[in-house]
Amino acid sequence: MEGEGVWGQQMEQTEPLVDEANRADTPQLKEGAEAGERKRSEVVAAARAAGLCVEEGAPGTQLLRFAHGLNSDELRLMELPHGVLGALKEGERVVIRGEQGENAVLCTEGATYELRTADTSNALLLVPSLSYSQDNSLGEDPLPTKGVTMCLSNYLELRPCRPRTEKLRQLLSECPYRGPEYEEESGEDDKDDWEERRRTKSRKVKIDRPRKYMFSELVEVVQASERELREALQKLQACLISGYWRLLEADYVEQAVQHILALLEEKDWPWTRVPLSSTSHHLQELLPRFVIKHCLDCYGTKISREDNSEADTYYELSVEKVCQFYAVLLLRQAGKFNYSEFMESWQQSVPLGMETDLGQLRRLALRDMSAMPPVIWYFPLSTLPQEPADRFNCLFSARQRWTQNDIEPYIDDLATPTQSLSALLLKYARVSTVKGVKMYNAKRTFK
C-alpha cells in the first residue's frame, strides 16, 4: 500500500501469481497445489504465461495458500502519516478517542487525526510469515508455502483535523466556581465520584452534586491530544482548583477584575507593574489569592521575580485584554448598543493610559453602520459551533451579507492543512460584488 507508513504491506506481483495458480486452465499447477509442493520452473512458467516479467531463477519466490475465514474483521490495516509513525517509534502514547455517537479520532501527545475508512481496488493480503530476503536458497525446490490469513479491500486512513473541544466548555460549565462561600468541603467525596466514574467508564454515574473534572478525566472524553486539551483549557481561562479544572463564573470574574483595577487606582499603582502579594493582601477579605493570580495570569504577563524568596511577583496588564474585558462588560447584557455611545463609554471605562481600538473587538462584536443610528452588539467567536456547516449557518443567521474582512475572524480557526479559508468560503458561501466590494452570503441551508 502506498503511504508514508503502513501497518501491513502489499506484496508486488503476489496477486497475479496466486490467481494464476488457482485458475482451472492450469491443471498441472492446480494438482501441485493439492500436493502442497511447487517447483521453481513451474512458477516461472505460470508467471510468464500471465504476462509478468520474472527474473531468471526467480530468487526469493514463495508460494501463497489462502486460509479459511479470509474476510474476518479481527485485524484492520491503518496507513500512518509521518507524525503518528514517529510518535509510535518514540514510544509515545497513541490512543483512539470517541464516545457513542461520535466519529472516532486518533490522538498522539500533540495532534489529532480523523479516522476514515478508505477503499482500494487492489486486494490487500496479510501474510504474517512472508520473507523479503532475496536469498536464492528461498527459491529452491520445493518452494516454501506461506499462508494468507486475511484479504482486505479497505484500510483506515488518518487525516489531520482540529481538536474537537466543543464538549469541554459544556463539561466545565456543569460546576463553575462562584467563590469560596459557595463551595462544599467534600474533597474526599469528589475523589470517590471520580473513582466511580472511572470504574464504570462513564461520566453519567448519578451524582447529586455538580460534577467537577480532573485533567485525567477530561482527556478521556474530549477528542483532543493532551497538548491541545491544555491549550483549550488556557483559551477558556479555566482554573485548576484543588485538582479540578473549573470555569470561573462570568459575573464572579468581572467582580474580581474590577476589584483589582479599583485597588490599582486607589493605591496609585501603575498597571504596568502590579504586585501579586500586595494585591492579594489588600483584597484577602474579598478574593482568594489563587483567584487574584488567575486573573492576573489571564489579563496580564508576569514580568519579574527576584531571587529573594520574600520579593514580590509583578504583572504588567495587557492593554488589549483589559480593553476587551470592558467591552464585554458593556456589551454582554446590553443587546444592540448605540455605536457612538458605546465607543465613548468604552474609552471612559478603561484605566488611564490605555487606549481602546476597534481591532480589539475582533471576534467579540459586530457592527451595523448602515442602521440609523449605527449599532454594535456582542457576538463572540467562543459561542459559535465548531463544525463548519453549523458555523456558517450561525454567521448568516446573524448577518445576511459579510465582507471578507468581517467574516474571516469568525472562520479562520476552521482552516486546516487540507482546507484553506478560500476553500471554506467557496464551499459554504456565495460571493457577489456590491459597489466594488466583495460580499459573501448564504449559498443554502447546510446540514
Side-chain angles (χ1 to χ4, degrees), residues 234 270-276 292-305 313-322 354:
Q234 183 178 8
W271 51 265
T272 56
R273 192 172 175 81
V274 183
L276 173 60
I292 295 173
K293 183 180 184 303
H294 177 73
C295 291
L296 292 176
D297 285 330
C298 290
Y299 293 94
T301 305
K302 188 184 297 184
I303 58 174
S304 68
R305 179 175 178 82
T313 300
Y314 292 88
Y315 286 82
E316 178 180 357
L317 295 183
S318 166
V319 174
E320 180 179 18
K321 291 180 179 179
V322 173
M354 291 188 178

Side-chain angles (χ1 to χ4, degrees), residues 271-437:
W271 51 265
T272 56
R273 192 172 175 81
V274 183
L276 173 60
S277 295
S278 299
T279 302
S280 301
H281 173 72
H282 287 286
L283 297 178
Q284 60 182 339
E285 295 184 359
L286 299 173
L287 299 168
R289 178 185 173 91
F290 75 85
V291 171
I292 295 173
K293 183 180 184 303
H294 177 73
C295 291
L296 292 176
D297 285 330
C298 290
Y299 293 94
T301 305
K302 188 184 297 184
I303 58 174
S304 68
R305 179 175 178 82
E306 304 296 337
D307 293 337
N308 187 347
S309 60
E310 296 181 357
D312 207 344
T313 300
Y314 292 88
Y315 286 82
E316 178 180 357
L317 295 183
S318 166
V319 174
E320 180 179 18
K321 291 180 179 179
V322 173
C323 289
Q324 287 175 338
F325 166 80
Y326 277 105
V328 173
L329 186 64
L330 292 171
L331 293 172
R332 189 164 66 92
Q333 305 292 346
K336 291 192 175 181
F337 204 127
N338 181 290
Y339 177 73
S340 298
E341 293 178 2
F342 165 77
M343 294 299 292
E344 183 179 353
S345 300
W346 187 25
Q347 180 59 56
Q348 291 176 354
S349 63
V350 300
L352 187 65
M354 291 188 178
E355 294 291 333
T356 58
D357 182 84
L358 281 177
Q360 297 162 353
L361 299 179
R362 182 180 172 88
R363 302 187 181 93
L364 285 178
L366 291 178
R367 299 177 296 157
D368 185 358
M369 304 306 291
S370 63
M372 294 299 293
V375 293
I376 186 171
W377 66 96
Y378 187 49
F379 193 74
L381 171 64
S382 59
T383 61
L384 298 180
Q386 289 189 343
E387 289 300 319
D390 296 333
R391 175 79 62 87
F392 276 89
N393 270 337
C394 287
L395 293 176
F396 289 123
S397 296
R399 175 183 286 180
Q400 186 176 2
R401 291 183 177 180
W402 294 73
T403 65
Q404 186 164 348
N405 289 337
D406 286 343
I407 199 171
E408 278 191 357
Y410 288 98
I411 63 172
D412 55 8
D413 63 310
L414 299 178
T416 65
T418 58
Q419 191 168 42
S420 64
L421 285 180
S422 298
L424 285 168
L425 288 169
L426 183 64
K427 181 177 181 179
Y428 295 107
R430 188 188 306 276
V431 63
S432 60
T433 303
V434 180
K435 297 181 180 180
V437 179

